[in-house]
Amino acid sequence: MKHGIILIGMLLLLPLSKLKAQNLLTDRVNVQLKGPVLNELVKQLEFQTSYRFYYDEALFKNFPLNLDLKNVAVREVLDKALNGSDFHYAVFENAIFLTKHVQILTAIPSKQTAETKINKTLKTVPLAADLSSGNTPMSVKKENKLANTPLVLREVVITSHQASNVLGTNMGVERLDIKTIKQVPTVFGEADVLRVVLTLPGVKSVGESSTGFNVRGGSVDQNLILFDQATVYNPSHFFGFFSAFNPEVISNVQLYKSSIPAKYGGRLSSVLELNGRDGNKKEFTGTAGIGLLTSRLNIEGPIIKDKTSFILGGRTTYSNWITSMLPENSGYRGAKASFYDLNLSISHQQNDKNSFNVTAYLSSDKSNLATDTTFQYQNRNLSLRWKHIFNEKLYGTISAGRDEYSYDNFSTYKDDIDYSLKFSIAQTNFKTNFNYSPGNRWSANFGTSSIYYTNNPGELSPLTNKSLVMADVLSPEQGLENALFVEQTYDFSKVITLVAGLRYSFYSSLGAGAANIYADGLDKSDANIVSVVNYAKGKVIKTYQGPEYRLGATFLLNPDLSLKAGYNTQRQYIHMLSNATSMSPTDIWKLSDLNIAPQSGSQFSLGVYKNFNSNTIETSVEGYYKKINDFLDYKSGAKLILNHQIEQDVLPTQGKAYGVEFLVKKPAGKLNGWVSYTYSRTMLKTDDVRGSNSINLGEYYPANYDKPHDFTFIGNYRLSRRVSVSLNVTYSTGRPITLPVGKYYYQGGQRLLYSERNQYRIPNYFRSDLSINILGNHRIKQLTHNSWTIGVYNLTNRKNAFATFFASENKLINGYQLSIFGTAIPFVNYNIRFK
């Protein structure tokens, strides 16, 4: 992985040789390199050890290397690589800093120390490095007297991935570290990964606190959400009010919107990759947090020191106290909401060539909105990963896992009609991923993927023996998805880099099961069923396959300006069926089969990337055009739950999406954040055989999540070392809705005549949030470090519309508007870090 560095303020300039402070760099590695390939050296060392490098990529772009070392210490590798040059390295814990002409000191040398101007007594002065993972203190030793003039140490700020937006080959990629995520104000003050993802250009949702997100015109089921390579089907708690991911166990987040690597497939629009942290291999530490509605606790430490570590985290809620205080006429007084999630990660470094990781994740929800229906759902994930270094040019990862999502909703309205409604989907996967780098101009990534799906699309049963509800069970589904991929990156010159990849995927719908055969050229209905074919267990019902292309080019016009272009195609063999505006606990997933074809899509994108002020300010403009085929929309009045012939109520739909995204970002410094604006459109058109069921007479209509204008401002300002202020401002066009445009009388009552689908919009959305972050003292030797987060969500008290609906009351039609948060919501959180 490449890391950039920018040092802000004064570095300590002293006539010292290269530093090897505190950490002796004794891990043994194998290295074989020749040419200006420092980035490749960093990649190999980071893969073989737990060290992370920080440096200014531009300074080392043409740094020559000629190394052929086997089973040597990292210290020896760096000494040989930097010998006789003006470059230096310094070490603090697992961080290695590379600099030119200057050195970073992690300890004051003997005979030198700092002196306070107040009382002239000697004190330990901490040197802070603001890494992407947070503020890391660096110890400074003290002596009994000063030998030279005292030196005042100022802050050193280190930012990772500097200039990667210009120099990197990927486009449409957004990266967030956990520190940035924690700074953004969210409802109830809980750091929320998904809410911050929604502030990125090209990412939208249908409304406030809705589950799921839409990327560049894609639906919510077209996003692949991976947590340590495990697929998470429902990424939220309590209908979208909270993210299902514990921020304390996450290291960083990457969102691929355009240049999706060939190793990823199965979704059309995006890949959201959440990478968990490894536990501390040196000592036991932990964090805890207490909020108005949730609490969390995380513990980490070594199992075998310097070799095996763990991290265990958990969250839960106690929100029922606040729902009991709601007004009687709100309709939600007495509502109950409970959820929890648990994370366990174990990492083991066997030797220089082999490391192993185990990640387990469980989330569970049980909620009742003061009605007779209780919703409960769970995510369960387990992933195993083995990293192996074959030689200095080839390394790879082999992983396996099991991912499950299920819900079990039940109603207790009346004994004789009480019911239970269940759904579940599971996938077992096996993946290989190899990287081959024979030289500094060409590299390749290749591997395989295999996923076996088991889907139980619905089961209705009586809740008790008193219930008269008739049991109804849909036939289970099975499917096997396999893929091969290869992707190559080649530097034609210093200014042109090309990326070409191919992923070929195969999908087979498997028995046991029955399939309806319909007459050719006619719509799918009971009247047009020609026959029903039964398939034995494991028998192939239908096979789909096809290539998925990845093409990209980067033109480096100068060190801080580049032009990029990309084209990719995707195939998706699984669909989410929902007639709700956003994801809900009653949605079901459907595998492609004989009568429902997989989705496919293609996207072309073009972008310009420019950095200013020594790469401290990043700007970009990206445009895209996307085509979507065989997306599933629904007939008016479609029944999606417990439908044995679901293919009769869905319509194959074509779509197009296009837009332009503007981003200005300042990732580090006293004032940091970003401003983004997106103009985009998403239009759909049904492709009905006879036209009798076409939506909007077969013409294009806006998707439910089509929101042309979207503006976001995220700002963080550090008032002092302990106090910072964060502001979030969001504006977007209201989403489309279908409204009544006329009325008529039928059987003595008033009836509504509706417009074409999605021809109108709810009011525009605007919200601003404010928070203040207060850190405790910075003493190093203390049992706990604490902080407070205080703020207000929806600062302007705006009643943003989530939905509009109409009800017939006393034979009259009345319209209503629903707001999720119709008032300002104050919040406070107390956080503790201990060791």
Side-chain angles (χ1 to χ4, degrees), residues 20-79:
K20 280 76 72 173
Q22 295 189 349
N23 195 322
L24 299 179
L25 302 179
T26 56
D27 291 11
R28 308 193 77 78
V29 296
N30 299 318
V31 174
Q32 184 177 27
L33 294 168
K34 187 174 183 180
V37 286
L38 181 78
N39 290 341
E40 186 59 34
L41 173 63
V42 169
K43 183 190 299 185
Q44 291 191 22
L45 293 180
E46 287 188 335
F47 186 82
Q48 297 179 59
T49 69
S50 60
Y51 299 120
R52 309 294 289 177
F53 283 77
Y54 300 88
Y55 62 100
D56 185 344
E57 193 169 358
L59 295 178
F60 291 85
K61 192 170 183 62
N62 296 311
F63 185 75
L65 288 174
N66 188 0
L67 300 174
D68 188 1
L69 306 172
K70 296 185 182 299
N71 195 31
V72 297
V74 173
R75 169 179 44 80
E76 184 177 346
V77 174
L78 293 177
D79 285 341

Side-chain angles (χ1 to χ4, degrees), residues 606-770:
L606 183 67
V608 179
Y609 306 81
K610 169 68 176 176
N611 288 355
F612 297 91
N613 196 25
S614 300
N615 291 321
T616 60
I617 298 177
E618 304 173 0
T619 67
S620 65
V621 180
E622 289 188 24
Y624 66 91
Y625 183 85
K626 179 188 289 186
K627 292 288 290 183
I628 303 171
N629 302 309
D630 293 317
F631 170 73
L632 294 185
D633 211 336
Y634 318 108
K635 298 177 182 178
S636 298
K639 177 188 175 185
L640 301 182
I641 298 176
L642 297 173
N643 189 335
H644 290 262
Q645 284 88 33
I646 188 63
E647 68 272 9
Q648 297 182 11
D649 274 350
V650 298
L651 294 171
T653 303
Q654 313 310 311
K656 61 180 180 180
Y658 52 89
V660 59
E661 302 165 0
F662 300 85
L663 177 66
V664 178
K665 185 176 182 179
K666 188 175 185 292
K670 196 170 185 178
L671 173 65
N672 60 82
W674 64 88
V675 180
S676 68
Y677 167 75
T678 302
Y679 174 79
S680 62
R681 296 304 309 269
T682 305
M683 309 296 289
L684 303 175
K685 182 175 70 172
T686 58
D687 187 17
D688 184 52
V689 176
R690 301 180 62 183
S692 58
N693 293 307
S694 291
I695 299 173
N696 197 23
L697 302 177
E699 299 296 325
Y700 278 106
Y701 60 93
N704 289 334
Y705 40 87
D706 175 65
K707 301 167 73 174
H709 300 282
D710 191 282
F711 171 84
T712 298
F713 168 80
I714 301 292
N716 306 291
Y717 184 75
R718 190 172 61 254
L719 299 173
S720 68
R721 291 179 181 271
R722 294 180 55 194
V723 181
S724 63
V725 178
S726 300
L727 177 67
N728 173 24
V729 179
T730 300
Y731 166 85
S732 65
T733 308
R735 66 173 181 83
I737 56 173
T738 303
L739 289 180
V741 293
K743 61 183 179 180
Y744 60 93
Y745 288 88
Y746 179 72
Q747 293 183 347
Q750 197 177 89
R751 302 290 187 266
L752 294 178
L753 177 64
Y754 282 88
S755 68
E756 296 292 344
R757 185 173 296 186
N758 292 343
Q759 296 302 299
Y760 295 89
R761 295 182 180 274
I762 63 174
N764 293 344
Y765 182 91
F766 174 82
R767 196 192 76 248
S768 58
D769 315 312
L770 179 69

